[in-house]
Amino acid sequence: MYAHHVATGLASFEESPPDLAEMTRRFETLMAAGYPYLVAEVNGPEADSRVEGYAYAGAYRARPAYRFSVENSIYVRADGTRRGLGKRLLEALIDECAKRGYRQMVAVIGDSANHASIGVHAACGFEMIGTLPSIGFKFGRWVDSVLMQRPIGPGDSTSPV
C-alpha cells in the first residue's frame, strides 16, 4: 500500500518504495518507542482479510522538548478512498495519542493540492499552520508541504509534567 503511494503520489516525499525489511524496521522502532500504530482491515469470504488502511504517530522531532508532540501518518488503499476510512483512522489515532499523554499532533502533508488529506485533517480539528513552498522535488516538479496542527487532550492548557 505504501509502495503505491510512494510510486504514484506526493503524500510521501520518498522516491523509491522501501522494501519489507525496511518497513518492518520502521514499524518495530515505533512499537519499541510506545507509539500507536492502527490498522483497518476488512474480513472477506472464508476468513480472508485485507488491510484497507493504516495510521500511526511518531516523534515530531527527536529533541526532548518535543516529547509531548507527535506527527501523524495515514495511508489508505488507492481503491478505498472517499469512504471515510482515513477520517476514522485519524480520529482513532488522536484518541489513542491522548490516552498516551501526547498534547499536540502535527500533520506534514505532501503537496498543497492534496485537498483530500487537508480536508480530513480539518474535519478532525486540525488548523492550518503554514505552507513550506517548493520544499521537495518529486516527479520533475517542486512540491509544497502543508503543516497542520491540533491539540490533543488538554493541549497546552496545563503542564504535561
Side-chain angles (χ1 to χ4, degrees), residues 5 9-13 74-75 108-111 114 138:
H5 287 285
L10 298 168
S12 169
F13 279 17
I74 307 164
Y75 292 95
V108 181
I109 299 168
D111 192 12
N114 188 343
K138 187 173 177 181

Side-chain angles (χ1 to χ4, degrees), residues 35-38 55-58 68 70-74 85-107 117 119-127 148-155:
Y35 290 106
Y37 200 113
L38 309 176
Y56 62 89
F68 298 104
V70 292
E71 180 179 336
N72 76 71
S73 293
I74 307 164
L85 180 59
K87 184 178 183 210
R88 290 193 306 273
L89 279 166
L90 183 53
E91 289 169 338
L93 185 64
I94 291 165
D95 289 345
E96 190 57 39
C97 285
K99 289 177 190 171
R100 295 176 192 216
Y102 296 108
R103 297 295 192 87
Q104 299 291 327
M105 184 176 281
V106 176
S117 185
V120 164
H121 284 85
C124 289
F126 284 75
E127 293 184 18
M148 298 181 79
Q149 183 177 346
R150 179 197 197 284
I152 303 172

Side-chain angles (χ1 to χ4, degrees), residues 24 35 64 97 115 122 125 137:
T24 301
Y35 290 106
C97 285
H115 303 294
F137 190 82

